[in-house]
């Protein structure tokens, strides 16, 4: 099985929302590796980070991505940090990967300053800026297409993703 669309990008890019809209519009099943990790572990990502540490979460995430790439043929949204893993990047080669780009201010607005995401605790804006600076080149390297999301509705973004992937 091969996912028809794989969405990558940072927290606040709208991957989960856009994946849901694409699934509805194209009649495809939707999968999200964050939800897969939580379901397999029976606990939230925040709890996994706090109780077992980020390295453990990354190992679970790597397995969840590999399983989804092998076993899902719809729309797949990856957690924001999944592309940092070497095996994951190799597994994404040749796949229909779309990078949902987002700038700092829209990302901060979308995740909210009171975010429950463990990597953002303390200083949401500063942490997002650091993550965007560090990861943007990685997202660009794994993606076949980039779709800008700043100032746009998820519906508009999903329509462009469908268009570039089908083209
Ligand atoms: C993370 C992004 C989150 C989640 C975890 C770590 C990251 O996923 O996997 O909190 O490293 O960017 P979303 O991008 O779906 O929020």
């Amino acid at each position: 099985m091969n996912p028809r669309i794989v969405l990558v990008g940072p927290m606040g890019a709208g991957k989960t929302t856009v994946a849901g809209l694409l699934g509805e519009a194209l009649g495809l099943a939707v999968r999200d590796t964050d939800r897969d990790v939580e379901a397999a572990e029976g606990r939230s990502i925040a709890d996994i980070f706090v109780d077992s540490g980020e390295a453990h979460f990354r190992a679970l995430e790597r397995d969840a991505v590999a399983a989804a790439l092998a076993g899902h043929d719809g729309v797949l949204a990856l957690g924001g940090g999944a592309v940092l893993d070497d095996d994951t990047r190799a597994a994404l080669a040749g796949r229909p990967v779309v990078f949902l780009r987002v700038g700092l201010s829209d990302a901060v607005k979308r995740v909210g300053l009171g975010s429950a995401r463990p990597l953002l605790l303390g200083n949401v804006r500063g942490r997002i800026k650091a993550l965007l600076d560090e990861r943007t080149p990685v997202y660009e390297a794994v993606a076949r297409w980039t779709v800008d999301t700043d100032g746009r509705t998820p519906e508009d973004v999903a329509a462009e993703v469908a268009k570039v992937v089908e083209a």
Side-chain angles (χ1 to χ4, degrees):
M1 283 199 204
N2 285 314
R4 289 264 303 277
I5 303 173
V6 181
L7 298 179
V8 301
M11 293 178 260
K15 299 180 296 292
T16 303
T17 308
V18 169
L21 291 168
L22 281 166
E24 268 170 41
L26 304 176
L28 297 171
V30 177
R31 196 150 149 182
D32 183 319
T33 57
D34 285 341
R35 299 295 83 76
D36 288 351
V37 168
E38 291 183 329
E41 286 287 293
R43 53 190 176 142
S44 70
I45 288 173
D47 282 348
I48 298 170
F49 265 74
V50 170
D51 297 337
S52 308
E54 181 174 351
H56 184 67
F57 170 74
R58 295 298 176 200
L60 297 169
E61 181 176 51
R62 180 191 313 127
D63 293 346
V65 174
L69 287 176
H72 178 68
D73 57 5
V75 183
L76 177 64
L78 303 190
V83 298
L84 299 178
D85 183 83
D86 293 345
D87 293 341
T88 292
R89 282 201 306 283
L92 289 174
R95 306 259 188 190
V97 180
V98 181
F99 166 31
L100 296 187
R101 202 202 70 78
V102 64
L104 179 59
S105 74
D106 279 44
V108 173
K109 278 183 215 142
R110 289 188 204 145
V111 300
L113 288 174
S115 173
R117 286 167 163 107
L119 279 183
L120 303 181
L121 288 177
N123 172 4
V124 171
R125 192 183 163 83
R127 293 291 298 136
I128 291 185
K129 183 176 183 328
L131 292 177
L132 291 181
D133 290 349
E134 177 189 318
R135 295 178 180 175
T136 295
V138 185
Y139 296 129
E140 284 172 344
V142 298
R144 200 181 296 174
W145 305 279
T146 296
V147 170
D148 210 332
T149 72
D150 277 348
R152 301 176 68 181
T153 63
E155 288 76 11
D156 196 24
V157 172
E160 186 177 339
V161 172
K163 203 165 99 190
V164 297
V165 171
E166 295 298 314

